[in-house]
Amino acid sequence: MAKKGRVFSGARPTGRQHLGNYLGAIKNYVAMQDEYDCVYCIVDVHALTTVETTQDLKLNTFEMALDWLAAGIRPEESILFVQSHVPEVMELHTYLSMVTQFGKLTDLPTFKEKVRQQPENVNYGLVGYPVLMTADIVLYKTDVVPVGIDQAPHIEFAREIVRSFNYRYNTKVLIEPQVKHTEVLKVVGIDGKDKMGKSLNNHIELALTPDETTKRVREMVTDPARQRKTDPGNPDVCNVFTMHKIMSPQEEVDMINVECRRAGIGCVDCKLRFAANLNKNLEPFRAKRAELASQESYVQDVLNDGARRARTIAQQTMKEVREAMQLP
Ligand code: SF4
């Protein structure tokens, strides 16, 4: 079947992936492979704007790539690579920075938020982050970028930069990327209140063993008003129930929905049921992960091949860009 165009998406190297990563992004990455030519990038250069040390960068990149591959990214079809392995992106970033107004960058809400988060490290790269992101997207002649509704302004900004470049050099060489709205599932962590994430240690890693997974699930916060097993609970405010709706068979979800409200099921039992279903769902992932991890250089070979294929596209784009700019 003919593909609809090229998709690009990038994510920072955060190491082993968790359930929130999977349900919020990776699952969608895997599904899009059926419709689009997909270019997936581990954006290590972006990470440098915020990390204090690079000592874990290699391991985190490896672990993340391994999880993505085990989850179903197909490297024989899709391009999976590391941002810094294609240095052309730095060159395009520089050229795009010349058509981007500094004031617009410092006015962006995302920049202001970063300044609030790390006032002691407002580095030059942080200001230019959206320009580098634009370079990432357009370097690979991207048609479509999948984003959640709240991310759409970032792509609109990228489109503005592309228009400025094309106008300045009277060219159409850079493609304005289109937004593909995707439903980004916000997965709440085991604390029952914040978005699942490593920094809050409220996550469940995909690569945990079944026993470790069950242990994490047992720590999940439930309906806070339910003190005893004999108290009726409210599944509508319980994160365990939300996760059941994603992972468990419908008849089990229906049963919990009824029994919880009349204290017919205890929270421990409910969580163990969820853990069992989660572990069952993760079985193919774990088997694939173990198999890939046992092939010593497999992940590195995939990333090298991805960089080679990405670079072929990037070099062609840069040739056209330099010509359009009439660089000597
Ligand atoms: Fe939540 Fe299940 Fe306990 Fe009800 S029985 S409060 S759905 S964990």
Side-chain angles (χ1 to χ4, degrees):
M1 189 181 74
K3 301 271 174 100
K4 288 184 189 167
R6 183 172 291 147
V7 152
F8 176 93
S9 191
R12 288 171 176 237
T14 51
R16 287 185 170 202
Q17 302 289 275
H18 54 69
L19 207 50
N21 299 132
Y22 178 71
L23 296 171
I26 305 169
K27 196 174 170 200
N28 190 35
Y29 283 3
V30 172
M32 277 190 301
Q33 295 177 114
D34 295 334
E35 287 185 70
Y36 294 92
D37 286 323
C38 296
V39 179
Y40 294 134
C41 182
I42 299 176
V43 291
D44 57 337
V45 182
H46 281 295
L48 300 178
T49 57
T50 53
V51 296
E52 283 166 16
T53 164
T54 53
Q55 68 181 16
D56 295 329
L57 214 50
K58 268 193 186 149
L59 181 63
N60 284 344
T61 299
F62 173 86
E63 292 279 3
M64 186 161 151
L66 182 55
D67 278 349
W68 284 13
L69 291 165
I73 299 297
R74 302 188 288 270
E76 59 287 352
E77 283 173 47
S78 303
I79 297 178
L80 173 61
F81 74 108
V82 178
Q83 187 184 24
S84 65
H85 293 181
V86 182
E88 282 78 4
V89 77
M90 322 295 179
E91 184 186 354
L92 185 56
H93 167 246
T94 303
Y95 299 155
L96 294 181
S97 72
M98 312 303 179
V99 296
T100 308
Q101 296 307 306
F102 186 74
K104 282 199 169 182
L105 290 168
T106 52
D107 270 351
L108 289 172
T110 42
F111 174 69
K112 289 177 179 165
E113 180 57 28
K114 283 283 176 220
V115 173
R116 263 194 297 277
Q117 286 171 358
Q118 53 180 68
E120 73 301 333
N121 184 20
V122 184
N123 57 73
Y124 178 62
L126 208 56
V127 186
Y129 194 105
V131 187
L132 182 58
M133 192 190 78
T134 305
D136 282 322
I137 295 167
V138 297
L139 185 59
Y140 305 104
K141 297 182 184 289
T142 300
D143 299 299
V144 178
V145 182
V147 288
I149 294 270
D150 57 335
Q151 301 264 302
H154 299 182
I155 307 307
E156 190 44 53
F157 192 71
R159 287 161 58 88
E160 259 183 53
I161 296 175
V162 169
R163 285 197 290 272
S164 296
F165 180 92
N166 285 350
Y167 180 75
R168 167 84 63 91
Y169 297 108
N170 192 23
T171 180
K172 291 184 176 158
V173 73
L174 297 184
I175 300 170
E176 274 186 52
Q178 303 297 316
V179 167
K180 178 178 166 59
H181 284 300
T182 54
E183 195 195 339
V184 178
L185 205 59
K186 185 184 161 210
V187 180
V188 173
I190 63 171
D191 56 7
K193 58 180 200 309
D194 291 309
K195 187 178 170 189
M196 189 177 281
K198 281 192 172 177
S199 58
L200 295 172
N201 191 25
N202 65 356
H203 60 298
I204 301 173
E205 273 180 10
L206 300 173
L208 292 179
T209 64
D211 283 350
E212 288 167 337
T213 303
T214 303
K215 190 164 175 286
R216 278 305 254 177
V217 170
R218 289 187 75 137
E219 293 168 30
M220 287 179 80
V221 171
T222 63
D223 170 6
R226 192 176 190 199
Q227 300 293 323
R228 289 169 297 269
K229 195 177 167 183
T230 47
D231 294 338
N234 180 3
D236 299 335
V237 298
C238 178
N239 188 35
V240 178
F241 186 64
T242 305
M243 298 304 285
H244 264 297
K245 286 194 275 188
I246 298 169
M247 290 285 164
S248 302
Q250 190 56 47
E251 58 275 20
E252 197 166 357
V253 173
D254 293 342
M255 181 276 288
I256 292 166
N257 197 13
V258 171
E259 295 301 325
C260 172
R261 292 176 203 277
R262 61 182 187 200
I265 182 172
C267 290
V268 174
D269 182 17
C270 187
K271 287 189 215 179
L272 291 178
R273 283 170 175 271
F274 168 61
N277 292 331
L278 176 58
N279 280 326
K280 192 162 187 300
N281 277 307
L282 286 174
E283 262 171 30
F285 167 85
R286 288 184 179 132
K288 180 100 187 199
R289 194 182 202 278
E291 182 202 328
L292 298 180
S294 71
Q295 300 168 36
E296 210 175 301
S297 62
Y298 177 78
V299 172
Q300 199 51 54
D301 290 347
V302 165
L303 295 177
N304 289 345
D305 183 59
R308 183 188 56 73
R309 287 152 63 205
R311 207 161 181 204
T312 302
I313 306 168
Q315 285 174 337
Q316 179 59 34
T317 304
M318 290 316 298
K319 185 169 171 288
E320 293 165 16
V321 163
R322 290 185 211 106
E323 275 171 17
M325 294 173 73
Q326 301 187 57
L327 292 180

